[in-house]
Amino acid sequence: MASTTSTVQSLITNSRFSSLYLSTNKVFLPSCQLLKYRFSPSSRSSCLAFSSLGDKKEAWVPMGMLSAKPLTFTGWNQNMRRRCQVEFPVASAAAADADADGLETEISEGHAKPSKSFAERFPALVTGFFFFMWYFLNVIFNILNKKVYNYFPYPYFVSVIHLVVGVAYCLVSWSVGLPKRAPIDKELLILLTPVAFCHALGHVMSNVSFAAVAVSFTHTIKALEPFFNAAASQFVLGHQIPLSLWLSLAPVVIGVSMASLTELSFNWTGFISAMISNIAFTYRSIYSKKAMTGMDSTNVYAYISIIALFFCLPPAIFIEGPQLMQYGFRDAIAKVGLIKFLSDLFWIGMFYHLYNQLATNTLERVAPLTHAVGNVLKRVFVIGFSIVVFGNKISTQTGIGTAIAIAGVAIYSLIKANMEEQKRKAALSAAS
């Protein structure tokens, strides 16, 4: 007995764990046990220890037996106190870290497995939340943005505000490590600069159109963006576009033409600026493909916003600067007050950045087909809500033309997404 005691005591070291329990909730080990342990808050060790016992003898409980009692050794009269511990082979440092905050850890085949997060257990619910927030923020942005233009018609300056608020948001997020800022070098800067320029041009021209015509009409014109994408792919990149894809774009062109002919708020400034926006965003897509990097989308969008801000500043200063200084700011403050004016500018900038970021994050979570359908439905929501909120009167022909254009975009998006999915599957089968 003395030799046995000395052998066991040689394995004992100082411990800071509080207790060890056995539970029968799940089956993972060959011994049919779920090892569930609780740590003291100050401990980060990878070893387990037995809890303190009273001064009495109890039979040793093997790992294969079911018991909720603390474990002791037969023939050992000495209490197993907090200063004593035994090395336990299946408990790892990762398990200790995982359960230090009271989380349950499953141990299977000698490896600790932390419980799944909410996003891992309910992926469909999380994706649905992303879509909802994407639509919600986009609709709110378009409505509030148009309300600002009704009393402050300076789209170049407002475009700068959108980016300034977004850049400030990115800098704050980086400072707290959500997300951690990815480093950028000269090569990546050169790749992202054309993307940022096209992003800035498309953004400014969209806002010029929003300020000049009804929101619903601007979004109807912007439904032509797939047509410009297809044309650029065919004639700039040299990609062969199938006939079915071109035919699906015919309703888009016809619908936009019908809506434009009878749009009550039509003017050439709004129409031409929306068309320039379509072209700019088309080239942004082309340059984005050339600038594909291993950086995550959140950091890429942050850098694009920062670079685009420098492109938006000069036209805002030279085109609208003198007017703003003379009477622009004064008139806006006289109409709504300083606090509301500043809060409106802040919120449209925040909504603009967040809805664009959520659109990117949503694309990462779903297949291209799902995202394409979601993008079409988003445009329907924006057009519908803008007509209801602002009470825009539209002619029957404009309504029919808008519906035809949206239907054409939906057909085009479905065909294109199916083509991309088939290419992806073909590439995977060839690789395997």
Side-chain angles (χ1 to χ4, degrees):
M1 182 62 67
S3 61
T4 303
T5 303
S6 61
T7 303
V8 173
Q9 287 177 331
S10 65
L11 299 175
I12 304 302
T13 57
N14 290 332
S15 172
R16 299 173 66 187
F17 290 102
S18 59
S19 59
L20 173 68
Y21 297 92
L22 291 178
S23 171
T24 59
N25 295 336
K26 297 182 181 180
V27 178
F28 282 94
L29 287 173
S31 55
C32 303
Q33 292 296 324
L34 167 68
L35 187 62
K36 192 176 182 181
Y37 41 88
R38 184 176 69 241
F39 301 101
S40 62
S42 61
S43 175
R44 282 293 185 270
S45 172
S46 62
C47 304
L48 299 179
F50 299 115
S51 61
S52 308
L53 300 176
D55 191 9
K56 60 182 179 179
K57 298 181 181 179
E58 294 190 24
W60 175 61
V61 183
M63 285 302 296
M65 302 298 292
L66 305 181
S67 174
K69 298 179 180 180
L71 304 185
T72 62
F73 286 100
T74 304
W76 194 2
N77 296 328
Q78 204 171 11
N79 291 340
M80 300 291 293
R81 302 196 180 276
R82 294 174 65 86
R83 67 176 182 273
C84 303
Q85 77 172 15
V86 243
E87 292 287 337
F88 204 78
V90 297
S92 65
D97 288 337
D99 279 2
D101 298 324
L103 300 174
E104 182 179 287
T105 299
E106 298 171 355
I107 296 181
S108 176
E109 297 179 357
H111 299 285
K113 294 183 177 179
S115 57
K116 291 183 177 180
S117 64
F118 181 85
E120 292 174 331
R121 287 183 291 172
F122 305 101
L125 187 62
V126 174
T127 301
F129 175 76
F130 270 78
F131 269 102
F132 170 78
M133 291 304 298
W134 176 24
Y135 286 13
F136 174 76
L137 293 173
N138 193 283
V139 169
I140 296 299
F141 163 75
N142 279 276
I143 292 174
L144 184 57
N145 201 49
K146 184 61 178 179
K147 286 185 175 180
V148 169
Y149 285 135
N150 287 339
Y151 70 83
F152 187 68
Y154 298 95
Y156 291 91
F157 177 79
V158 172
S159 299
V160 170
I161 294 298
H162 291 163
L163 294 175
V164 166
V165 175
V167 168
Y169 176 87
C170 293
L171 294 177
V172 172
S173 299
W174 278 340
S175 66
V176 297
L178 294 173
K180 184 178 180 181
R181 187 183 72 85
I184 185 172
D185 54 20
K186 182 179 179 181
E187 182 180 356
L188 182 58
L189 180 63
I190 294 174
L191 288 174
L192 291 181
T193 297
V195 180
F197 173 78
C198 294
H199 178 74
L201 179 61
H203 176 55
V204 170
M205 289 296 101
S206 293
N207 279 284
V208 171
S209 181
F210 284 138
V213 297
V215 173
S216 57
F217 182 55
T218 298
H219 278 280
T220 301
I221 300 173
K222 287 175 70 64
L224 279 172
E225 190 174 326
F227 173 82
F228 288 98
N229 282 331
S233 297
Q234 176 96 28
F235 303 112
V236 177
L237 298 179
H239 299 163
Q240 188 64 35
I241 303 299
L243 179 61
S244 59
L245 210 57
W246 282 114
L247 292 177
S248 69
L249 290 170
V252 181
V253 177
I254 294 172
V256 171
S257 301
M258 289 177 60
S260 300
L261 290 175
T262 55
E263 171 59 39
L264 300 179
S265 67
F266 179 88
N267 64 57
W268 284 107
T269 300
F271 180 81
I272 293 174
S273 58
M275 295 293 283
I276 294 174
S277 172
N278 284 335
I279 297 173
F281 285 137
T282 296
Y283 277 92
R284 182 187 65 177
S285 300
I286 294 174
Y287 287 119
S288 295
K289 292 178 181 178
K290 294 181 179 180
M292 293 296 289
T293 66
M295 188 183 297
D296 63 281
S297 60
T298 303
N299 274 292
V300 169
Y301 184 69
Y303 283 122
I304 289 176
S305 297
I306 294 173
I307 301 171
L309 176 59
F310 289 98
F311 287 116
C312 290
L313 279 171
I317 294 173
F318 291 108
I319 296 176
E320 296 178 343
Q323 301 174 26
L324 289 171
M325 297 304 295
Q326 291 177 10
Y327 52 82
F329 293 125
R330 182 189 62 202
D331 292 349
I333 294 172
K335 290 177 182 177
V336 299
L338 177 61
I339 295 178
K340 178 171 174 53
F341 176 56
L342 294 178
S343 65
D344 283 350
L345 292 179
F346 170 78
W347 285 115
I348 59 176
M350 184 61 70
F351 287 137
Y352 171 78
H353 180 83
L354 290 179
Y355 99 73
N356 275 286
Q357 187 60 66
L358 275 171
T360 304
N361 297 144
T362 304
L363 177 59
E364 291 180 337
R365 297 186 61 87
V366 299
L369 176 61
T370 305
H371 193 270
V373 174
N375 202 33
V376 173
L377 292 177
K378 178 213 71 176
R379 202 173 294 280
V380 173
F381 270 88
V382 171
I383 292 175
F385 274 99
S386 65
I387 292 174
V388 171
V389 171
F390 295 106
N392 297 332
K393 294 181 179 180
I394 60 173
S395 66
T396 303
Q397 181 174 327
T398 298
I400 295 174
T402 301
I404 292 174
I406 295 299
V409 172
I411 295 172
Y412 168 85
S413 300
L414 292 173
I415 294 175
K416 191 172 189 310
N418 276 323
M419 290 170 53
E420 291 179 355
E421 185 67 16
Q422 291 175 2
K423 288 181 180 178
R424 187 186 67 84
K425 290 181 178 179
L428 288 175
S429 61
S432 59

